[in-house]
Amino acid sequence: MKRIQSLLVVLFFVLTPYIGSAQTTSDLLQKLTQLFPKAEITVIENLAGYSESYQLILDEPLDHKNPQKGTFKHYVYLSHVDFNKPMVIETHGYNTNNSKSEVSILLNANQIAVEYRFYGKSRPEPLPWEYLTNDQAIEDYHAIVSKLKQIYSGKWISTGISKGGETALIYKSKYPNDVDVAMPYVAPLINTQEDPRTINHTKTVGTAECREKITAFQRAVLQNREAVLKEFADYAAAKKMTFTEVPFNESLEYAVLEFPFSFWQWGGKCDAIPPVTALPKELFNYLNDVVGVRTYNDINYFNYLPSYYQHLSELGYYGFDLTPVADLLQVVKSSSNDRFAPKGVEIKYHPAYIKKVRKYVENKGDKILYVYGGYDTWFSCAPTPSPKLDALKMVLPTGSHSTRVKDFPENDKKRIMETLARWLEIKDLSEKK
């Protein structure tokens, strides 16, 4: 009898965690179903550190002011730890899948990753361009956060990288009370449709010797145009890429013009730049490594149409400096990126939009923690928060667009974590790195 009782006790302790887990799962799923009754909710594989994860496909209004205009399928990914822990909303600037943000790792937080409207799987066809606005996207986030706050009682943090970080800043300016803290990474706030600060950055960052090597490389590629184009065509054939929208010759010129921007953006090494005497294959391979000529293939041309539309209408963008290679160009004559805008779609630039966001975050944006790399071209467009604000701007002097908290020296990481701990009222956060 005692043996049976002992066995039952053992079974109780073995099975209890699984029973509890099942109850928790059904509890969360039930809550999500109540909050999002029209959503398609699917269990997905957990990322490290999470106990439950779901893909939600929402019927999102095309126009939040006029819901009768119709809906689109909007993909978001929820990863759950605990209802009382912080919740991170990652405002992805483009398409996304379920990946864990650095902020979620640092805070051991719940996470909702939101694909930007009309990108990736959240892209309706045909695309209704008039509803691809930042304000409509912000309403997407606001609606999601407002509902999830009914079940997640901890602090809320918004984050995003590059365009996603810019979106986090726009969101903060529109709904400052939706989140307790914003933590954008490498986020520009761009002043004009072709912000000259980006070109000025490429002309002044690093050493004069390095910048001369960059120009020499650009010229070497175009001076060996035919041989480099052959390497380009071979590469495209091997990767099964087609370049009908932006033909090889034009793509090559855009890649050459893009090279200085990408070199500094992604932390290029001056010692790695091939000499002007390098073989065409070496010239092409390095250009491809830095710029990524796949950017111009037909699939990516299609995928990036929403991005160019937004940059040319509200966000602003950068222009190309034609001067170093003007005598070698055959196709490209304009400094603008408008070549990549959707065809047959009227685009009007609204310069006041981002300026209003900048005015808010620089003068009223408390509890915003900015992360930048000093060499990154987009750092030239970073906001400058007022010293009167309770905000923190961290810059890794030689960092790139891939700069993260983990890349900073220990003292800087400690400062970041202590600031987050104070803002989020978490006592032991400074011990987590």
Side-chain angles (χ1 to χ4, degrees):
M1 185 71 176
K2 289 182 178 179
R3 187 176 179 184
I4 294 173
Q5 288 176 332
S6 298
L7 183 60
L8 289 173
V9 170
V10 171
L11 285 172
F12 173 80
F13 283 108
V14 169
L15 294 176
T16 295
Y18 295 97
I19 294 170
S21 176
Q23 290 174 338
T24 303
T25 301
S26 61
D27 184 37
L28 174 56
L29 184 56
Q30 184 179 10
K31 290 177 185 294
L32 292 174
T33 303
Q34 291 171 347
L35 289 174
F36 304 97
K38 296 181 180 180
E40 300 174 41
I41 305 176
T42 308
V43 177
I44 57 177
E45 184 178 353
N46 288 320
L47 299 169
Y50 292 115
S51 59
E52 301 172 57
S53 301
Y54 298 94
Q55 174 186 271
L56 288 77
I57 308 176
L58 309 178
D59 279 332
E60 199 79 71
L62 292 170
D63 184 350
H64 284 272
K65 291 183 178 180
N66 299 288
Q68 70 276 10
K69 295 287 186 179
T71 62
F72 70 97
K73 297 296 183 183
H74 194 188
Y75 283 70
V76 300
Y77 303 90
L78 175 68
S79 298
H80 175 83
V81 178
D82 186 287
F83 288 113
N84 299 313
K85 283 189 174 292
M87 170 63 86
V88 172
I89 175 170
E90 182 159 16
T91 56
H92 287 271
Y94 306 89
N95 61 297
T96 188
N97 51 27
N98 192 33
S99 58
K100 194 170 185 178
S101 71
E102 185 182 53
V103 180
S104 300
I105 294 170
L106 293 173
L107 302 179
N108 187 27
N110 303 291
Q111 175 180 282
I112 184 80
V114 185
E115 187 165 68
Y116 202 102
R117 62 163 43 209
F118 302 175
Y119 288 77
K121 290 179 290 205
S122 302
R123 179 171 176 164
E125 289 298 335
L127 198 155
W129 297 101
E130 66 270 29
Y131 303 124
L132 180 54
T133 68
N134 285 281
D135 282 353
Q136 291 289 358
I138 298 310
E139 291 302 324
D140 296 340
Y141 304 129
H142 178 62
I144 293 167
V145 169
S146 297
K147 289 183 178 180
L148 288 176
K149 276 190 171 183
Q150 297 176 42
I151 60 175
Y152 286 99
S153 59
K155 298 285 187 179
W156 278 73
I157 306 95
S158 61
T159 191
I161 298 169
S162 193
K163 181 174 177 289
E166 185 176 22
T167 304
L169 291 174
I170 297 170
Y171 182 24
K172 182 68 174 173
S173 74
K174 302 291 183 180
Y175 287 101
N177 297 321
D178 268 21
V179 298
D180 300 282
V181 172
M183 191 169 170
Y185 287 76
V186 296
L189 289 179
I190 307 163
N191 283 344
T192 59
Q193 200 174 41
E194 293 182 45
D195 198 316
R197 291 175 299 172
T198 59
I199 290 177
N200 184 60
H201 182 84
T202 63
K203 289 182 175 181
T204 55
V205 70
T207 65
E209 180 185 10
C210 187
R211 296 192 297 272
E212 288 170 5
K213 286 186 72 174
I214 288 171
T215 298
F217 174 79
Q218 290 177 280
R219 294 188 63 81
V221 171
L222 294 181
Q223 285 167 343
N224 291 272
R225 181 187 297 264
E226 294 307 319
V228 173
L229 280 172
K230 183 181 183 304
E231 299 295 339
F232 190 172
D234 290 346
Y235 168 83
K239 298 294 183 181
K240 295 181 170 57
M241 294 179 183
T242 56
F243 289 80
T244 54
E245 290 289 349
V246 188
F248 287 118
N249 199 27
E250 186 179 10
S251 291
L252 182 67
E253 291 192 358
Y254 275 114
V256 167
L257 291 168
E258 175 76 26
F259 181 78
F261 188 104
S262 290
F263 180 89
W264 295 113
Q265 180 182 17
W266 296 111
K269 305 299 181 185
C270 291
D271 291 344
I273 301 175
V276 296
T277 55
L279 295 173
K281 186 176 184 63
E282 188 178 358
L283 293 172
F284 171 77
N285 286 344
Y286 189 71
L287 179 69
N288 189 28
D289 287 343
V290 172
V291 176
V293 296
R294 63 188 176 280
T295 301
Y296 309 105
N297 77 34
D298 293 340
I299 292 175
N300 280 334
Y301 173 87
F302 174 81
N303 290 340
Y304 288 135
L305 286 174
S307 173
Y308 285 105
Y309 178 87
Q310 287 195 279
H311 282 297
L312 294 169
S313 61
E314 289 182 334
L315 295 178
Y317 215 30
Y318 62 97
F320 301 113
D321 182 12
L322 276 59
T323 308
V325 292
D327 59 312
L328 299 173
L329 296 174
Q330 296 178 359
V331 183
V332 179
K333 302 302 179 185
S334 170
S335 62
S336 175
N337 272 283
D338 60 6
R339 162 67 176 86
F340 305 102
K343 297 174 182 176
V345 178
E346 183 179 355
I347 300 178
K348 182 179 179 181
Y349 179 56
H350 302 280
Y353 189 88
I354 288 299
K355 289 180 181 177
K356 186 176 180 180
V357 175
R358 177 186 288 277
K359 184 177 180 180
Y360 175 87
V361 300
E362 290 187 337
N363 296 286
K364 296 182 179 180
D366 282 319
K367 296 183 180 178
I368 301 178
L369 202 161
Y370 304 84
V371 176
Y372 290 99
Y375 274 6
D376 178 12
T377 321
W378 280 130
F379 174 58
S380 65
C381 299
T384 303
S386 167
K388 298 178 182 179
L389 293 174
D390 187 11
L392 179 62
K393 181 177 177 180
M394 297 298 294
V395 182
L396 187 63
T398 59
S400 70
H401 205 59
S402 60
T403 297
R404 304 293 179 263
V405 172
K406 64 181 176 60
D407 301 313
F408 283 84
E410 288 302 316
N411 285 343
D412 287 342
K413 283 192 279 191
K414 182 179 179 183
R415 185 183 179 192
I416 290 168
M417 298 308 291
E418 287 177 347
T419 300
L420 288 173
R422 177 169 61 84
W423 288 346
L424 297 170
E425 300 174 357
I426 301 175
K427 291 182 180 180
D428 62 346
L429 188 58
S430 60
E431 299 175 3
K432 301 174 184 178
K433 297 177 187 175

